[in-house]
Every structure is written in C-alpha cells, then in structure tokens.
Amino acid sequence: MTEPAPEGRFTVAVVGAGPRGTSFLERLLAVLEESESAEPAESVREPGRPAPLLDLVVLDPCRPGPGHVWRTGQSELFLMNTPSFFPTVAAAGTPGLRPSSVALTFDQWRMAHPDRARVLDRTDYPPRAVYGRYLAEMYREVTDALRGRAAVGSLEWRQTEVVHLEAAPGGQATLMLGDGGTVVADATVLCVGHLPARLTSEQQRLEDAAGRLDLEYRGPNIPCDLDWDEIPAGEDVLVRGMGLNFFDALAQLTLGRGGTFRRTGAGPGRALDYEPSGAEPVLHPASRRGVCYLPKAELDAFVPHAVSLKYLVPGAVEALHAEHGPLDFAVHLWPLIHRDVVRAYYHSVVRMCPELLGGAGPGTEFLAGLVGLLERAGRGEPVTSHQAQTLLHRYAPGMPFLDIRALSRPFEGKVFSAGEEYQREVIGFLAGICTEAAAGEDSPLMVAIGTLHAARLQVKQLVAEQWITDASRRRDVSGWFESLVEGAASGPPLERVEQLLAVARAGLVRFVGPDPQFESDAGRSRFAVSSPQVGGAGEPQDVHRGRWMVEAMMPANRVLQTTSPLVVSMLASGVAAPHTVEDEEGEPVPGRGFDVTGRPHRLVDAAGALQEGVFVLGLQLASVQWGTAIAAEAGGDPDGRARTLGDADAAARAVWALRSR
C-alpha cells in the first residue's frame, strides 16, 4: 500500500535530469512565477486548507543538466548536429510560452559567457561538452530560482537510478531506487532519455562470433561511452553506419590520434588534405545507401530563407483531412511535398543558372509551363517524371529531371567492377555535394533539400497530431521518408565531410558499397563485409576484412528492446505498455514508445487506464511523435519546432493543477 505524502506537502519526482528534465523544471519555474504574479483567484480547495508545498526530487545517476549524453568531460571532438543559433532547453523567446526569470537559449548563453563557450560564432557547431556546460548552468540557475519560490518546500538531487515504479490510485507512485531507497511521489515526470538496448539477433550473432574467434565487436552505443583508444594503430576496422555516429568515430580516430588537416585552397570537395600521425586505424565504412549522410548547407538559418512551401500548406492539408480523416502519407501528403520540392528547385535553377535552360526567356517559359503542370495536377496526384521530363526536354535536352528520392540511394542499379572504382565514385559524388553545400542558398539542390526539410517539420507536427494513419506512418514515414530526409538534410557540418574526403584520399577510409553484408570469417578469424554491387577479381565481391567491427549507431529507441531496469520492470508489471499501432493489414503491433495520452502525455497502463500522476517526456514518446531526440529550436513554435518545450510546459501545468486540487 502506498503511503500518502505528509499533510501539506506535494512530492514531484523528476526521473532523468538531462535536457528534458531541465526543460520541465524551467517550465515549472515559469508556472510558479506566473502564479505568484497573477491576481488572486477563487481557490478550488476546501476553505481554510492551504495549498501544499512542493517537494521536488530529481533522480539521475549522472550530473543534472548534461545528464549522460551531454556530460562536460567528454572529448570536444564530438560536435552537435545543429549550429549555435538553433538549440534551447528553456523557453526564451518561444511564442506562446512565458519564459522563466532565468531562461536563456544556448546562443544567448554563448554570447553572455564566451569564456565557457570557447570562441563560437552563431553558425558554428558546438562541441557537445560545451552544450553540456550550458545545460549544467541552466539546471543550476533554474533550481536555485525554484528554491527561492514560496511554493517550494525543498529541492534535492539524488544521484541514483530509478529501477521500478509502482503506481497507485489517485496518481501517486512509489519509485524504487538503485541505492535501495524509495520515493513516494504525488506526481512523476519520466525524462529518462537514451537507454541501453538489447542487440538484434544479427548483432548478437556477430558479438558471439567475436568471442569465439578472438575478435573485437562494439555494438550500438553513445559515442562518448566507447574507449576509442582501444583500437590499435593500423588496424582494419569495419564500421556499420555512415550517419552522425560515424563522423564522431572519424574525428576521434584521426584528430584524436594526432592527425592534422590542412587547407588546400582548392575549393569545396578538395578543401582539406590530411597529414596522418601514423597512429590511425583504417576505416571500412558501410551503409545501405552506400554513402554517408550529406553535409548541411552553409546557411545562417535552420531552413533556407528562399524556402516557402506553396502546396503543403495548412489549408490544403486540412481540406484533405476533412475529406479523408487520417491521411495516407504516400497518397495525400507526398504529392504536395513533391510539388514543393520540384517548384523550389527549378525556380532556383531559373534564378541562378538560366543558361542551363537556354537563357532567361526560355527559362521563364519553362518555369511557367512547370508551374502550370503543378497547378493542373489533381489534388493527391503527383506530377509524373515523364510529364516534367517532356517539358524539360523542350528547353534543355539531356538534362535529367530532379529525382529527389534518388538522394537516399545515389548508386541504385549501378555495379562497380572493383573497390577502387567504387572509391572514386563515392569521392567524386561527395566532392560534388560539398560544392553544392558550400554554395548554400545559391545551390538549387540545397534549396530543394531545404524544402524537403521544411516539409519534414510539417510532417512531424502531423504525426504528433495523429493526422497520419498508423499503417502509413509505418510504411511510408518510417519506411522511406525518414531515411530520405535524415540522409539528405540531417547530416554533419560541411567541414566533417571535407575531412572524410581528405582521409579517404589519404588511404585511411575505404568505402564498402551499398547494402553491405556483414559476416564472421572463421577461416581467417576476421569479420568480413562486402557489397553485392561491388565486384572484385577472384572473389564474388570485393571483401573487406578486419579484427574490429564497430556499429556506428545509437542504441535502438524502442521500449520493448531496452535493457533499462526501470522500463523493463514497468512493462513486466503492466504499469506501462507500448503504444499499439496497426500495420497495413490492420493487425495491432507494438510501437517504439510508451502508450500515452495526448498532451500532457500521461502514461497509460497495460489495461488501458491512464496514470493520472505519471507523465512522459522525450524519447519514450517515439510512438506518438517523430524525431524525439531533436532539441527544441530557439524561438520555434511550441507545437512544432519547439515541441519539447510545449510538452514540458503542458506537463508542468498539469503537475501544478494536481498540486492545487
């Protein structure tokens, strides 16, 4: 039986004190400050019964603020994936949200504390350790301010892990702690962030092979948790994944080994040369697309200023929703996105490169014809490549029509006779993309990618509002659109891809090819990887071998795959359940995250009953949101690009309402 909180006290447990927990506390501070400044209102409590004091208990084994991922002692070679002007953990300048008295965006903090932020410009990509300093300071400022509020009785951080949660009627919960203690909470806010996960069956097979063959296998992990110094100089290292974790590995195994990059003056694509230290291993990276995430464009905004959606607009989407109810992404939304991307690309071509279409006059004629095609196409019907290619052929014979989806598989259908040929192809492809990225808004391709990214932000909101069917979200959004946008628009800063090219030209990176097949080679006591599209003399494929293999990816963000004692025990006891979605046949299948209500995202148990006092923020909302790991955008819409702040605000207000009953 859960014991009630002492009379006159209301205990709030914040489980996880990284960015999400810090945002919740900042929003709670804002609510308290707002309540203190408001005119006295008629109380809903019994006459003469004062509102209880808040006792705030923050539970995290890691330092509060940075938490695990952003800890300040990690290598400064690990960079954020957004520039300084973008992220925030506090609602400073967020429309519709009252900021707390201490709220600062990262950019504001950077300018106020240059000694703690190194020498960073607003468009620089900060080290994660520096962002961790910002988070640590924001946590300290917020909690100091909370302690000064009349409504707060106490605030403490307990450096321990929560291993189980038992819910009781009325919203209370008992939290069992790793240090043997317990906390009885009237409201609990789960902000646990990235969690360890079980290996997949294939990953487990490779780890088991490593044990048998005396090999070294490193599964998915947070980059700062790996000991990169373990990898010997000169070792061949097979790397699965060429996303953001791959670039962390590249930096740590080059710059972190004493290597140096020098400016060549040769322009984008060959901007750097690499001088090895001799301590580097040789990397053999592989991914399904066969190439790394593309570099971000050199911009001073998150989305290019030139981007303006004309077809994927609220009125059009609302009309589709009124007619069809929950929408099918491929049928209803992708045609609108496709039109926006095509329009933006060719508008930019005519503006920047009219000679490609025969000059300004013919270019304008082509554009008018293209826009006519776009406008005449029936709602929900995409412009076919044949229609547009026919029109394009009149003005620029031989110019291929933009196929934006090909960016996710640039080598689709190609076969390479040997690894050397594929190496040259990848280097040439990435060098061209670097030229485009360096041009920023003067690149039609980067404007097209920026348009795709702007559309993605709208789709994120539609996912959160449940305007897309479960089946379509699984088949289309998660099935292909997510990987298309991630690879094209969520890549590293341009400098990182220039570094990759320099290291590849130095012979220390050897690309494998698309659709890699990883195996253990018992005869040679090595891991082996090959691509069916890259052949080699004397063998079916060009085979790369090494004693080391690294999975360059984060642990899977799935509640059913995690090894977290807290989540595992909550699912086992039925106090929580995975959100269930329908597949294309209408069969219920478990989703990635917890089952929750809409905002303020109260937890729903296995019997379908909501836990009134248990709230979920962050990554475990993955079944009802998309892109839960992305920080809030400074100045962004709390229902859109700063959704994490909107969620935190809703939870803080719900907690305050519970306390005030």
Side-chain angles (χ1 to χ4, degrees):
M1 187 75 178
T2 302
E3 296 181 4
E7 183 67 26
R9 316 293 281 206
F10 186 91
T11 300
V12 180
V14 182
V15 183
R20 301 297 184 270
T22 302
S23 286
F24 169 77
L25 292 170
E26 190 271 334
R27 291 291 76 221
L28 184 62
L29 172 62
V31 170
L32 267 61
E33 292 173 338
E34 179 182 318
S35 71
E36 290 174 358
S37 64
E39 291 294 322
E42 184 178 347
S43 175
V44 297
R45 302 178 62 80
E46 298 174 12
R49 183 183 169 201
L53 292 176
L54 288 174
D55 288 329
L56 302 173
V57 183
V58 178
L59 300 155
D60 198 316
C62 299
R63 181 185 176 193
H68 183 185
V69 173
W70 304 99
R71 56 185 185 265
T72 56
Q74 66 186 288
S75 167
E76 295 204 1
L77 295 175
F78 297 134
L79 302 183
M80 294 188 71
N81 194 38
T82 53
S84 296
F85 65 74
F86 178 85
T88 187
V89 76
T94 304
L97 296 185
R98 173 187 174 127
S100 71
S101 57
V102 299
L104 288 176
T105 69
F106 175 75
D107 206 33
Q108 291 170 334
W109 176 84
R110 171 192 67 83
M111 291 185 287
H113 303 289
D115 56 323
R116 294 197 283 280
R118 300 197 321 170
V119 181
L120 288 172
D121 291 330
R122 68 182 302 274
T123 56
D124 288 338
Y125 289 75
R128 289 176 208 151
V130 173
Y131 192 66
R133 292 172 206 156
Y134 158 72
L135 294 173
E137 185 156 328
M138 282 306 308
Y139 176 85
R140 184 170 58 252
E141 293 284 343
V142 166
T143 51
D144 284 351
L146 280 168
R147 290 186 179 97
R149 304 269 70 80
V152 176
S154 66
L155 191 158
E156 66 168 326
W157 164 47
R158 293 185 62 172
Q159 191 172 9
T160 186
E161 183 180 12
V162 180
V163 296
H164 184 54
L165 181 154
E166 288 184 358
Q172 286 185 331
T174 299
L175 307 179
M176 285 74 162
L177 309 180
D179 62 8
T182 60
V183 171
V184 178
D186 299 288
T188 304
V189 186
L190 300 176
C191 313
V192 295
H194 287 284
L195 295 173
R198 287 183 291 102
L199 299 179
T200 66
S201 57
E202 184 193 1
Q203 291 165 352
Q204 189 63 60
R205 176 174 58 81
L206 292 167
E207 184 176 72
D208 292 345
R212 292 194 312 271
L213 302 175
D214 193 27
L215 305 177
E216 298 289 346
Y217 175 83
R218 299 294 181 269
N221 220 321
I222 297 169
C224 61
D225 284 347
L226 290 173
D227 183 356
W228 297 99
D229 291 339
E230 287 184 321
I231 301 176
E235 195 77 39
D236 287 299
V237 181
L238 311 188
V239 183
R240 175 154 47 191
M242 296 179 70
L244 301 175
N245 282 30
F246 165 68
F247 286 98
D248 290 334
L250 179 75
Q252 204 64 40
L253 296 172
T254 54
L255 291 167
R257 294 291 179 95
T260 55
F261 292 97
R262 302 193 184 281
R263 297 280 167 192
T264 65
R270 293 197 66 93
L272 300 174
D273 277 338
Y274 182 66
E275 244 181 62
S277 67
E280 301 89 345
V282 179
L283 302 183
H284 301 255
S287 69
R288 282 176 294 180
R289 73 183 69 212
V291 72
C292 65
Y293 278 19
L294 305 187
K296 284 191 172 73
E298 297 279 89
L299 300 169
D300 63 354
F302 193 51
V303 173
H305 297 292
V307 167
S308 176
L309 299 177
K310 303 295 184 184
Y311 298 101
L312 187 74
V313 293
V317 176
E318 288 163 7
L320 287 167
H321 191 264
E323 181 178 351
H324 301 285
L327 302 174
D328 184 293
F329 178 85
V331 174
H332 302 123
L333 299 176
W334 175 248
L336 301 177
I337 296 170
H338 185 251
R339 291 184 214 177
D340 272 320
V341 170
V342 167
R343 179 187 177 280
Y345 178 78
Y346 286 105
H347 261 279
S348 297
V349 169
V350 170
R351 178 172 63 87
M352 302 168 196
C353 318
E355 68 280 359
L356 295 178
L357 294 163
T364 303
E365 291 175 13
F366 163 78
L367 199 57
L370 179 65
V371 170
L373 277 178
L374 299 175
E375 298 293 346
R376 287 194 300 272
R379 190 173 65 198
E381 176 188 338
V383 178
T384 68
S385 296
H386 177 72
Q387 289 174 305
Q389 186 67 66
T390 300
L391 176 66
L392 183 61
H393 185 72
R394 297 180 201 166
Y395 298 91
M399 179 188 288
F401 181 65
L402 173 70
D403 182 359
I404 195 69
R405 288 188 64 174
L407 286 178
S408 65
R409 301 297 295 251
F411 307 120
E412 185 78 34
K414 295 184 179 180
V415 176
F416 303 90
S417 61
E420 291 79 6
E421 181 187 358
Y422 185 70
Q423 184 88 349
R424 290 192 298 270
E425 184 80 6
V426 173
I427 289 174
F429 172 79
L430 290 177
I433 294 292
C434 286
T435 300
E436 300 281 356
E441 294 204 35
D442 290 332
S443 160
L445 180 61
M446 289 297 118
V447 171
I449 290 173
T451 304
L452 190 69
H453 183 43
R456 169 214 204 175
L457 299 173
Q458 297 298 315
V459 172
K460 281 182 63 176
Q461 190 163 343
L462 295 174
V463 167
E465 293 169 356
Q466 299 183 359
W467 277 34
I468 300 175
T469 67
D470 287 343
S472 180
R473 185 184 170 192
R474 282 171 52 84
R475 181 188 65 242
D476 302 312
V477 178
S478 297
W480 60 268
F481 184 66
E482 183 174 1
S483 62
L484 168 62
V485 183
E486 290 288 326
S490 294
L494 174 59
E495 184 82 352
R496 282 291 194 240
V497 180
E498 291 281 8
Q499 290 172 353
L500 171 61
L501 287 171
V503 177
R505 288 193 297 267
L508 294 173
V509 167
R510 298 170 187 168
F511 301 106
V512 173
D515 295 318
Q517 300 164 347
F518 286 87
E519 299 289 345
S520 57
D521 185 339
R524 293 180 171 88
S525 292
R526 294 288 186 271
F527 290 116
V529 61
S530 61
S531 165
Q533 292 176 232
V534 182
E539 292 186 285
Q541 285 91 34
D542 198 62
V543 181
H544 301 242
R545 294 184 176 86
R547 288 193 62 256
W548 278 77
M549 179 176 171
V550 175
E551 303 278 8
M553 59 191 73
M554 298 291 279
N557 179 32
R558 296 178 181 274
V559 294
L560 286 178
Q561 199 171 333
T562 184
T563 58
S564 157
L566 173 61
V567 175
V568 169
S569 67
M570 288 173 65
L571 293 173
S573 69
V575 74
H579 179 78
T580 300
V581 298
E582 285 188 357
D583 65 13
E584 292 183 66
E585 285 73 42
E587 291 290 329
V589 294
R592 297 180 180 179
F594 281 138
D595 196 8
V596 294
T597 67
R599 274 185 179 168
H601 298 311
R602 287 181 165 93
L603 188 69
V604 176
D605 69 17
L610 69 86
Q611 306 292 337
E612 187 180 17
V614 182
F615 305 88
V616 181
L617 295 178
L619 271 67
Q620 285 68 48
L621 295 176
S623 285
V624 295
Q625 292 186 11
W626 177 30
T628 53
I630 300 174
E633 179 181 3
D637 178 1
D639 293 325
R641 288 152 68 164
R643 192 168 202 92
T644 58
L645 291 179
D647 289 344
D649 188 77
R653 292 183 182 281
V655 167
W656 184 246
L658 284 175
R659 169 263 186 193
S660 301
R661 288 193 312 194

